[in-house]
Structure formats: C-alpha cells, structure tokens
Amino acid sequence: MIERSNDQNTCMNCTKKGFSLICNLSYGELETLEKTRTIVNYKTGETIYKEGLNPFGLICLNSGKVKIVISGEKEKEIIVELKKPVDFLGFTEMMADEKYTTRAVALVDSSVCIIDKSNFLKVLQGNPELSMKVMAFLAKELSLAHRKTIILSQKQLKARLAEALLELFNSYGVDNSDGKTLNTLLRRDDLSSLSGMTIASASRTLAEFKREGIISLKGRKIKIIDKKKLEEICSN
C-alpha cells in the first residue's frame, strides 16, 4: 500500500535519520528529498524489488526487517545481506544506474520510503560531505560482498552458521528482556540461506551448537549463550 507523507512523518522530523547517510543534511536539503517521497508498506514475504528491474528511486527502510537475496544453483535462495531501519535498499545499483542484481524481501511487515533519484542526486552534487560518505558506503558494500563470497566458498559449515548468527546479532540485536535472545525470528530455510547451507545441515549444526552450550533453542527463538565462542569458530 502506498501512502503520502504528512506533516508528522517527513524527512525533516524523522527520528531515525541520525543513523543514516543523510544524518547531517540541512533542513533545505531534507525538504528537497521530501518533495517526492512516498511510503510503501509490505507484508511479510512480499517482494520490494526484484532482479532485472530498473531502480525506481532511493529506497530507505523506514520500519521492519528485509533480506537481500540472490538465486544460487538450482534456484536456491542465498541471503547476501540483512537490512534494518534506516538502511538503503538497492543503493549500489541505483548509483551505478544498473538493473537490480538482487531481490529485496520483507522478513516481517515493513515500510519503505521512496525518494526520487533526481532529487537525491541534486542534493548529492551540492554536498561534498555527503559525496564522501556515499563513496565510503559503496566501498564498504564492496568489502562486505567480498567477505560474504569468502565465507560461502571457503569456510566450514560451523563457521558459516556462526557467522550467520553473529550477523543476526549485529543487524537486529537481542531481546532486552534477557540481552541474549536474538531479536528476530527466522525460519530454518532463511537461516540456511543466510549461511549458505542446506536446511538439514543448518539444523544439524544448530543442534550441535546447542549441545556444546553455545546457544539455546526454543521454537524459532535462538539465545546466544557464548558469543565469544561463536567469534572463535568464525575465525577458524
């Protein structure tokens, strides 16, 4: 569902922008972005964009959780990145003026802000500080993609799953009630896609981590008991 912004929900008064690339923009620059901004809501499992389409603007995750995926061998889905508010979606392709090479799917009910590309580029061209931030961001994205390739192609299964659990920890945090339970509920197929494993392998390795006292499981809830041990497994 598409919504227009209102006086209470604008780029200028967004409480989340302090964690975004646009955190230091002036009021006037934010007004430029706001001119064509729309909000689109997605239900769990709905696709936000897919491979082969041309980018339709600057997409900022306003609320929810999103997975960025590619299709691997035999159409197996591989999660290459997890997104949280206020991350940009499909930003690299938009800046390169290329078709999307990935697919963005809502992990939970989510909403995104879509800003006209030309308005964003107008602000970018007049703001050297933002230009430097964008270059640093794109370099970091390239580094993360390279790291993901190494993990999926060279790491052993335990290291892959440990890396996936730490990625969930770093992306979505933990439940404040105990400070250890991951603040997201992933299906086993999503967890296997994130770690580049089969569902059976991911389930066996989770069970092994549980036996070793590294995690505990309760349905889809995963509690990280020994984060240091996961980090040690990742380094092997």
Side-chain angles (χ1 to χ4, degrees), residues 81-214:
E81 198 171 0
L82 297 171
K83 295 292 188 178
K84 61 185 183 302
V86 281
D87 288 343
F88 292 149
L89 312 180
F91 186 70
T92 301
E93 290 96 330
M94 188 201 75
M95 292 302 299
D97 199 23
E98 296 178 345
K99 296 181 185 297
Y100 289 121
T101 58
T102 58
R103 185 168 76 259
V105 180
L107 282 168
V108 298
D109 290 354
S110 303
S111 68
V112 301
C113 294
I114 302 177
I115 296 168
D116 186 79
K117 178 182 176 180
S118 61
N119 282 356
F120 176 73
L121 293 180
K122 180 180 178 181
V123 171
L124 182 65
Q125 290 165 1
N127 189 320
E129 181 183 355
L130 179 60
S131 297
M132 292 298 293
K133 283 185 177 181
V134 167
M135 285 192 288
F137 175 85
L138 293 174
K140 183 179 179 181
E141 288 284 287
L142 181 61
S143 176
L144 288 174
H146 179 64
R147 175 179 169 79
K148 189 76 173 184
T149 300
I150 292 174
I151 291 169
L152 295 180
S153 62
Q154 298 181 17
K155 293 281 188 178
Q156 299 296 319
L157 294 183
K158 289 184 69 173
R160 290 188 202 177
L161 188 62
E163 186 79 33
L165 293 174
L166 289 173
E167 186 174 351
L168 288 167
F169 181 93
N170 293 328
S171 295
Y172 299 136
V174 292
D175 191 319
N176 290 331
S177 64
D178 63 9
K180 292 184 178 182
T181 300
L182 294 176
N183 192 26
T184 189
L185 298 175
L186 278 190
R187 303 191 309 268
R188 289 294 184 264
D189 57 342
D190 277 332
L191 189 58
S192 68
S193 297
L194 183 60
S195 55
M197 304 164 66
T198 65
I199 297 175
S201 294
S203 296
R204 283 196 300 270
T205 308
L206 270 180
E208 187 175 348
F209 283 174
K210 181 181 178 181
R211 287 195 300 272
E212 294 174 0
I214 300 171

